[in-house]
Amino acid sequence: MLSLCASQWLVYGAGAKIIHQCQISVTASRFGGPGAGSQRQHYWWSAKDASHDGVKDVGNPDAKTQSPLVQYRRAQRRTINVPRRIYILGVGNIGGFVAHSLAGLPHRPPITLLLPSRGSVATWYEQGESLKLTTNGMLDTKSTFDVECIQRPRPAEEAQAVRARSDSIPQGLIDPQEEIIYNLIVSVKAFNTVDALRRIAHRLTRHSSILFIQNGMGIIEEVNDKVFPDPATRPQYMLGVISHGIYRTKRFTLVHSGYGTTALAILPRNIEDVKPDFESSALYLLRTMTRAPVLVAAGFPPTDLLQTQIEKLAVNAIINPITALMGCPNGDLLHQPSISRVIRLLLAEICLVIKSLPELQGVPNVKIRFDIKRLESQVIGVANKTAANRSSTLQDISRGNPTEIEYITGYIIRRGEEIGIQCVLNYMLKHMVLAKELLEREKHGSLLPLESRKLG
């Protein structure tokens, strides 16, 4: 029944057309840093403004003569009424690419980039207040973004007071940094997710939706534990897996080096729900993402997306740590007999863990999809397709930044330990990456005395 429900919102999300938008308020408050001279506009979107049934409405026919999908869409038109503004937390490779793609839409939604520091805001203005993307040698510049500098996390009591006050005040009269966020895309580094969300947690409610598009796994569990422990007030979660090749030449300047796809799913609040009740903001965010042709985005049932996410994780758990240790681009892993042996040994552990995961038990064709030979061919295919690229782990180490290895290889190790499988080779590989990360960060002088990482 979950698959049926998911297929309904897939068609509903992918086939929608946003035709009208209604401006309800304009505030003249300036924000975001020096030189922010544009007025902030607030738009609201309702499915009543979109014609997407695909059938001619002939009054109010008997419900029995309507298909379930038509009834579902008409029910949504009666209930959806969410702001159109989309906030993007993390304007790196993925976040910048998504923001640039959404900015190219007809009837584009208002987009706010959430920047982590005043230095980032200053850089934004120095770079011309725009995102630049080069594809096949062609430069495309998008501007007219709003920016906000998110502050340090608020105390719990103050955050609760802000949320209560915001609920009772019209959005157009609230300071930009106190507005409720209904549509949020998170693309910060995995290890920064908790800290970044804590800074804006007071602006997120149960009716908000958060789309996580990041490398690695285990992030949502950490967010639930440290940011949104109460299921009653927890936002609606969405997951995204992106396979486009993107790298940056400098801040807010990206290169689209390889075409790919974007897989999306709305996660049910309770996996036991037969008919999940998705928030209107999640449906709007799904529809908006699928409208962007550059993203090549489509919606999937959660179980299908989980398999796609695990498959990408398995590939990254091979390419990222090996290239980081060897200091080479992805293509150098090809045609190396010694590396091929290492890949097979690592995949033997990874495949055993994946096939034993409780959430995949009973899912058809799991053993075939996560067979060692098939995953090896996936690794070779990705390495060949991105031969000139450097993995994100290698880029982080070369810049003296922390890596996401705990959410890639570390996730495989932790899940293996939960089900009684010791991933000895992956454990060794993870700590070799951590050791190199530490050495490089000391060379760059970026290792803070108070900074520590929990090792396991």
Side-chain angles (χ1 to χ4, degrees), residues 284-298:
Y284 164 70
L285 197 53
L286 174 68
R287 177 179 298 105
T288 305
M289 291 287 290
T290 56
R291 286 178 57 221
V294 178
L295 293 177
V296 195

Side-chain angles (χ1 to χ4, degrees), residues 115-126 149 251-252:
L115 303 180
S117 65
R118 294 184 182 275
S120 299
V121 175
T123 303
W124 169 257
Y125 287 102
E126 291 170 1
C149 177
R251 194 71 187 273
F252 307 118

Side-chain angles (χ1 to χ4, degrees), residues 38-67:
S38 62
Q39 291 183 325
R40 185 180 185 85
Q41 298 179 336
H42 301 275
Y43 297 94
W44 289 74
W45 174 86
S46 172
K48 295 179 181 178
D49 298 326
S51 175
H52 49 260
D53 271 352
V55 295
K56 184 177 181 180
D57 193 350
V58 288
N60 185 24
D62 188 348
K64 294 182 180 180
T65 64
Q66 302 173 11
S67 70

Side-chain angles (χ1 to χ4, degrees), residues 335-347:
H335 315 300
Q336 294 281 352
S338 296
I339 292 180
S340 296
R341 292 185 177 91
V342 172
I343 290 175
R344 293 190 189 102
L345 290 171
L346 293 171
L347 282 176

